[in-house]
Amino acid sequence: MAAEVQKQPATLSKVDSAIDDAPASPSESKPRHRRTSSTVSGVFRIEDLEQDGADLKIAPETQKLNWKINSSPSTVEDKDMLKKLLTTPPIKKIDLHFPLGLEVTARNLKGVTIKDALDVIYKQYKKKADDELDNPYLAGFEWDREECYTKFIVHQKKSGDAPSGGGKKKKAKSEEA
């Protein structure tokens, strides 16, 4: 009987969950690390670019959007502009600073697009009425590498430009409305 008692612990150790090397569930067997598919090569952290002293170029299309900040980015006439990257080289996130102190952050692991920037601005202003905004139209972004490398300054203007190809009459009508 003593021989049987000694055998039992040996057989129990094979099924004991504390000793068993096999994971308790299939999800635990997966390695715990960041997915490589979510990081895109050629897209940089702005902090890394700052250390390298790299220059950023803001897409000039942002100045021609004629977009009202309290309206959805889907109202932009040229939808193809929304797909363009906001900067060259592409970055994963950027802080957008408004002159009155508001700051929002646009993020996209595949590179921040113009639409990403407009989305975060719209999220802040969507509940504001037109008469609450002094300068309701986006005029563009400015990057001042000396003042703050990791932020873009958001510029706004009083009225939207006439649609491309439009004359002064159309601009006058949009100012009246």
Side-chain angles (χ1 to χ4, degrees):
M1 188 148 181
E4 286 180 36
V5 173
Q6 288 178 352
K7 278 187 175 178
Q8 276 184 335
T11 56
L12 284 178
S13 69
K14 291 182 181 174
V15 292
D16 188 359
S17 62
I19 299 172
D20 193 11
D21 289 339
S25 67
S27 64
E28 289 179 22
S29 66
K30 294 179 182 173
R32 303 233 182 247
H33 60 82
R34 206 175 252 290
R35 281 191 217 146
T36 54
S37 62
S38 64
T39 57
V40 178
S41 62
V43 179
F44 303 93
R45 291 178 54 236
I46 193 155
E47 295 83 5
D48 295 342
L49 292 175
E50 182 178 19
Q51 288 175 353
D52 295 344
D55 272 342
L56 289 175
K57 289 186 177 68
I58 301 173
E61 291 87 358
T62 59
Q63 297 172 11
K64 303 169 193 156
L65 290 175
N66 196 28
W67 176 67
K68 195 179 253 189
I69 62 174
N70 64 348
S71 64
S72 171
S74 62
T75 60
V76 172
E77 285 180 30
D78 190 355
K79 305 284 187 246
D80 293 334
M81 280 192 201
L82 297 177
K83 297 174 188 170
K84 292 187 177 182
L85 292 170
L86 182 63
T87 62
T88 306
I91 53 176
K92 293 181 182 182
K93 74 172 192 171
I94 186 67
D95 294 329
L96 304 174
H97 181 78
F98 287 83
L100 295 176
L102 174 70
E103 199 165 290
V104 293
T105 304
R107 293 180 179 88
N108 187 336
L109 292 177
K110 295 178 182 176
V112 175
T113 63
I114 293 174
K115 183 181 185 323
D116 297 325
L118 299 187
D119 283 341
V120 295
I121 294 170
Y122 172 61
K123 190 173 181 181
Q124 289 296 316
Y125 287 98
K126 66 182 173 185
K127 292 186 173 139
K128 299 269 186 198
D130 289 349
D131 59 350
E132 292 180 70
L133 300 170
D134 292 335
N135 298 318
Y137 288 91
L138 179 72
F141 302 102
E142 176 190 353
W143 178 57
D144 186 354
R145 80 182 288 153
E146 279 77 35
E147 189 176 317
C148 187
Y149 192 97
T150 60
K151 293 179 187 175
F152 286 172
I153 300 164
V154 179
H155 290 284
Q156 296 165 264
K157 56 188 175 180
K158 283 253 187 242
S159 63
D161 296 330
S164 56
K168 289 183 180 179
K169 287 185 182 179
K170 284 188 178 180
K171 188 172 183 180
K173 283 183 182 178
S174 69
E175 288 174 357
E176 289 172 13

